[in-house]
Each structure stands twice: as structure tokens, then as C-alpha cells.
Amino acid sequence: MNRYTTLILTGLFALILFSVPEYAYAMHIMEGFLPAKWSIFWSVLTIPFLVRGLRTIKKKVEDNPSLKLLLGVAGAFAFILSALKMPSVTGSSSHPTGVGLGAILFGPTAMTVIGVIVLLFQAILLAHGGITTLGANTFSMAVAGPFVAYWIFKLGKKIGLPTWLSVFLAAFAGDLITYVVTSVQLAAAFPAAQGGVATSVVKFLSVFAVTQLPLAVSEGILTVIVFNFLKSYNQQELKELSVIGEEV
């Protein structure tokens, strides 16, 4: 791992210090907002992905210890983007997720581990989200989002799209699916009196869309910029992760 990756990691953490206080009022699905049965349900559903992710990270790091700093970059990127929030519907907020980059680099389940760490730190240190809603927030942002981003990127490579476009579409889709799942989670917990869960899903999606669509585009562009930086200065690591080919 070279000095350029160390610089970007340091810069990302520095950005946290200067940017987070401005958004300290915002959060993911907040502490105590979901009924207990739904908090337990989403937590149990997340556990298998977390276990698989721990094994994936352990194997990759054992095979190549130099990937640790790249893992740190993916974590810092997700931490910062998911901390930059815009108020949206009651009990939640709109914000970038930053999970696309880590999913592309290390796979979706590795991003589940990174995501739960990010969300746990935000819940404890920044009052973003909560402990009781950690499972729900992890499933939407660190399970659903990374899996969609990962497979969109893989599909883009398979059909011959330019790498930058595959990265953009992966980050864009990973961001949007997070909010589709969040809308389903909120709708399932609080179905409308008339129309039930389906009506609530439409309501939450329509409100989220106002802020989330432009945020998803912005996240896609930023992810391409960071990915191109890593491709320029960490080409060997990306080849070892099979993210780019030998012809690059």
C-alpha cells in the first residue's frame, strides 16, 4: 500500500472531523423507532451475512495484508457519506451510503462487516441511528445496498461497459436500493390505516425520492472519482482483488 492511499485515508478521516458536526441532528432509523419484533427480525436476518463477511475479510487480509489500508479507505468513505444527511421523513433521513466502493473492492458481505462497524460508531458517537435499530439499518445499507452494487458492477463488466460507468451505476443503484429497503422496513412496521403496507411503501418512497435521486447521482460521481484515484495509485491491489484486469 503506497503513500497516496494513506493520504486519501487521512483526508477522509479529517473530513469527518470538520463535516460531521453540521449534520449531527440527522440519523438513520432512530433509536427505539421500530417495534421490538421488527428490530429482532432484521437483526437475525443480518447475522448470516455478517458471519460470511468476517470470513471473507479474514481470507483476503491473510492472503494480502497490504489490503488493510484499502479496507480502511472503504470504511472511511462509507462513514463520511452516510454521515452527511438531509432531513426526510419522520424517523429517518436521506443521505448517501458510500457502500458501493467497498462492495466493488471486497465483495458485498465484506461490506456488511464494514457497514455494521460504521453504523455502530455513528450510533454511539454521533447519535445517528441506534442500537435497537442497528440490525434494520445494517440490512438496508450494508446488506441490500452492497449486494445490488456488487452485481451491477459485475454485470457491467460482463456486458463490456466502461469501468467508470459500471462503477457509477453500481454506486447509484446501491444507494437507491438502500432506501427502497428502508421504505419497506418503515412500511412494514407502520402500515397505513387504509391500503396497508403497500400504501405506506409508496408514501415513503415518494418522499425519499425527492432528496435521494440527486444524492444517488452525486454518490455515483464521487465513487467514480475515488475509484479512478485508487486505480491510478493502487493498481496492483485492484488486480489482486480481480476488480480490474491485467490489461489495465
Side-chain angles (χ1 to χ4, degrees):
M1 187 64 60
N2 57 56
R3 64 189 180 92
Y4 295 102
T5 302
T6 304
L7 286 173
I8 192 174
L9 180 58
T10 303
L12 286 169
F13 276 118
L15 183 58
I16 292 173
L17 297 177
F18 291 102
S19 64
V20 165
E22 180 180 353
Y23 302 92
Y25 63 90
M27 60 192 69
H28 306 273
I29 299 179
M30 64 184 181
E31 177 67 34
F33 192 76
L34 291 179
K37 66 178 182 180
W38 286 110
S39 295
I40 295 171
F41 173 79
W42 293 113
S43 296
V44 171
L45 204 58
T46 300
I47 290 173
F49 300 97
L50 187 59
V51 172
R52 176 65 178 172
L54 288 169
R55 292 174 179 171
T56 299
I57 291 176
K58 180 181 178 182
K59 184 178 186 306
K60 288 183 182 293
V61 171
E62 285 179 348
D63 292 343
N64 187 353
S66 66
L67 294 177
K68 290 179 181 178
L69 277 180
L70 204 55
L71 271 169
V73 170
F77 187 72
F79 187 100
I80 293 168
L81 264 65
S82 61
L84 307 180
K85 307 187 185 298
M86 297 177 62
S88 188
V89 299
T90 301
S92 191
S93 61
S94 287
H95 58 80
T97 65
V99 299
L101 180 66
I104 290 169
L105 296 178
F106 295 100
T109 57
M111 199 59 219
T112 302
V113 178
I114 295 173
V116 76
I117 294 172
V118 165
L119 289 165
L120 185 61
F121 269 83
Q122 289 181 351
I124 295 173
L125 301 178
L126 305 176
H128 294 173
I131 302 301
T132 62
T133 55
L134 183 62
N137 288 328
T138 299
F139 189 86
S140 61
M141 194 182 95
V143 175
F147 266 90
V148 169
Y150 177 79
W151 289 112
I152 290 291
F153 178 74
K154 289 295 185 182
L155 178 62
K157 288 181 63 178
K158 185 174 182 179
I159 64 177
L161 292 180
T163 300
W164 70 266
L165 182 55
S166 297
V167 172
F168 173 83
L169 292 175
F172 175 83
D175 182 295
L176 287 187
I177 199 65
T178 296
Y179 284 90
V180 172
V181 174
T182 299
S183 296
V184 171
Q185 291 172 329
L186 292 171
F190 305 103
Q194 294 184 343
V197 174
T199 299
S200 287
V201 169
V202 173
K203 179 185 72 173
F204 285 123
L205 284 174
S206 62
V207 175
F208 274 135
V210 175
T211 50
Q212 204 56 41
L213 283 172
L215 282 175
V217 172
S218 300
E219 178 172 344
I221 294 171
L222 182 58
T223 304
V224 171
I225 293 172
V226 174
F227 181 87
N228 285 341
F229 182 94
L230 294 175
K231 189 169 69 172
S232 297
Y233 296 105
N234 298 91
Q235 190 175 119
Q236 185 57 41
E237 286 86 348
L238 297 188
K239 289 178 181 178
E240 292 173 0
L241 290 168
S242 300
V243 175
I244 58 176
E246 291 296 331
E247 72 277 4
V248 176

